[in-house]
Amino acid sequence: MTFPTSVRLVEVGPRDGLQNEPEAIATATKLELIDRLGAAGLAHIEAASFVSPKWVPQMADHREVMTGLTRRNGIVYSALTPNLKGLEAALECGVEEVAVFGAASEAFSQKNINCSVAESLKRFAPVLERAKAANVRVRGYVSCVLGCPYEGEIAPAKVAEVAKALFDMGCYEVSLGDTIGTGTPLKAKRMLEAVARDIPMDKLAAHFHDTYGQALANLYAVLEEGVAVIDSSVAGLGGCPYAKGASGNVASEDVVYLLDGLGIESGIDLDKLAETGHWITQAIGRPNRSKASVALASR
Ligand code: HMG
Ligand code: MG
């Protein structure tokens, strides 16, 4: 058992947490959310998504969000860019980090980004080249690492293959997405072992949705293996538009509570983060899915 001494949280609430909301959320609300998350100590915030507004209407104000946010020192504000068109728009907004997103499942790749896995990798190559020329770091996501809503079981070898392709292409970090939250701890460990044969552990991140209530258990399992980057969403907001029934990411507050209990440094002020979770869930009329946050509020 080799727990990391510190963990970096990547807060995906403003993107993954909000992208599936059917009612338009005001840009000002998104900007306030990003600002409050920064004030709570989150050092990496995924702020927006430069995807087609026809596919994901909630992210249509990506330019306004990216240019409107108040930058705090030491915080990385990143955005999803599935293709060159998205990257160019993001660069115009002064983005310093972007992410490409692929999948370990053919069917999910088709539904999510309208192309095969092989085709997606071909599209990402010029995105990485252009980003590198602009001095912009690129993160890579692999979706469906512990199951697919269309194909069911996904072989760890397939996850490893796509993750390696993204890493070899120049992604500085690969985030492993349990998009539909069907994973369990031993499966998560086995998948991670397969991926970590090709990619150093310190270049991997865990991105676990909590649909089946397993996300914290899965995180504990991969922390034991040495994963030190965790994606999470304030108040457990979210879901994927192309994975019906998938609920939000693991709640950031619950992750911080877990890390605090394990003596793992995260640099996050749990009280401020919990306040932010209560504020945003009230603002958009959603339940707060962080158990730690609800418990803290009722003390
Ligand atoms: P496409 O239809 O194959 O693309 O979509 P196209 O190149 O043929 O273009 C079609 C239209 O889209 C054109 O507009 C383009 O201009 C426009 P039209 O001529 O019809 O008016 N377009 C764009 N507009 C804005 N920004 C762009 C862009 N590119 C093309 N970047 C595309 C391909 C990838 C664009 C589309 O499938 C798409 O936007 N998909 C959205 C996918 C998405 O956002 N999914 C959710 C995020 S991923 C996720 O949640 C998983 C993750 O959290 C990890 C996990 O949990 O597993 C990351
Ligand atoms: Mg996700």
Side-chain angles (χ1 to χ4, degrees):
M1 195 165 76
T2 52
F3 282 131
T5 51
S6 68
V7 157
R8 177 161 60 86
L9 253 70
V10 176
E11 170 62 47
V12 297
R15 193 279 301 172
D16 209 341
L18 300 185
Q19 69 183 7
N20 206 28
E21 284 298 321
E23 303 296 329
I25 298 167
T27 305
T29 305
K30 296 177 184 176
L31 292 174
E32 183 169 348
L33 172 62
I34 292 165
D35 197 55
R36 284 177 181 247
L37 290 166
L42 271 315
H44 187 155
I45 302 172
E46 198 171 70
S49 192
F50 287 77
V51 296
S52 162
K54 285 184 193 148
W55 285 63
V56 185
Q58 189 61 253
M59 294 285 113
D61 60 350
H62 41 232
R63 281 178 189 269
E64 289 78 7
V65 170
M66 231 41 234
T67 54
L69 55 85
T70 311
R71 290 178 180 277
R72 287 173 186 263
N73 272 346
I75 300 186
V76 173
Y77 301 93
S78 61
L80 296 191
T81 56
N83 52 20
L84 269 178
K85 185 180 169 78
L87 176 66
E88 291 299 345
L91 290 176
E92 281 167 25
C93 298
V95 81
E96 73 238 50
E97 181 174 323
V98 297
V100 293
F101 48 105
S105 145
E106 283 298 336
F108 185 81
S109 182
Q110 290 289 352
K111 297 267 186 202
N112 194 40
I113 50 175
N114 205 24
C115 64
S116 68
V117 174
E119 180 62 32
S120 73
L121 295 173
K122 266 194 228 153
R123 281 185 199 176
F124 298 154
V127 173
L128 273 122
E129 254 172 58
R130 176 75 184 92
K132 194 177 173 194
N135 239 336
V136 161
R137 295 205 303 175
V138 184
R139 197 171 196 240
Y141 279 104
V142 184
S143 282
C144 300
V145 301
L146 295 172
C148 168
Y150 313 104
E151 293 181 8
E153 291 287 320
I154 296 292
K158 183 69 192 171
V159 181
E161 183 191 315
V162 179
K164 183 176 187 310
L166 291 173
F167 188 65
D168 288 349
M169 216 179 264
C171 291
Y172 79 93
E173 181 171 285
V174 178
S175 177
L176 302 165
D178 183 8
T179 317
I180 52 168
T182 48
T184 43
L186 287 180
K187 260 178 130 180
K189 274 194 184 190
R190 255 177 245 127
M191 179 278 297
L192 180 68
E193 275 161 20
V195 176
R197 274 183 215 124
D198 298 315
I199 304 178
M201 200 60 89
D202 64 356
K203 305 291 181 203
L204 295 172
H207 177 108
F208 296 162
H209 285 256
D210 200 30
T211 318
Y212 286 77
Q214 304 297 300
L216 276 184
N218 295 341
L219 281 177
Y220 186 87
V222 301
L223 280 168
E224 275 190 325
E225 301 292 306
V227 165
V229 184
I230 293 174
D231 299 359
S232 61
S233 173
V234 66
L237 292 174
C240 178
Y242 301 102
K244 198 163 170 265
S247 67
N249 296 85
V250 65
S252 305
E253 299 91 318
D254 296 356
V255 175
V256 173
Y257 186 82
L258 173 72
L259 295 175
D260 284 351
L262 292 171
I264 299 174
E265 193 59 48
S266 72
I268 289 157
D269 180 330
L270 180 55
D271 290 329
K272 273 195 182 161
L273 180 60
E275 255 171 54
T276 302
H278 290 304
W279 168 78
I280 187 64
T281 48
Q282 276 163 21
I284 66 170
R286 286 282 163 197
N288 191 327
R289 291 220 169 81
S290 161
K291 287 208 153 187
S293 186
V294 171
L296 286 170
S298 63
R299 276 184 312 182

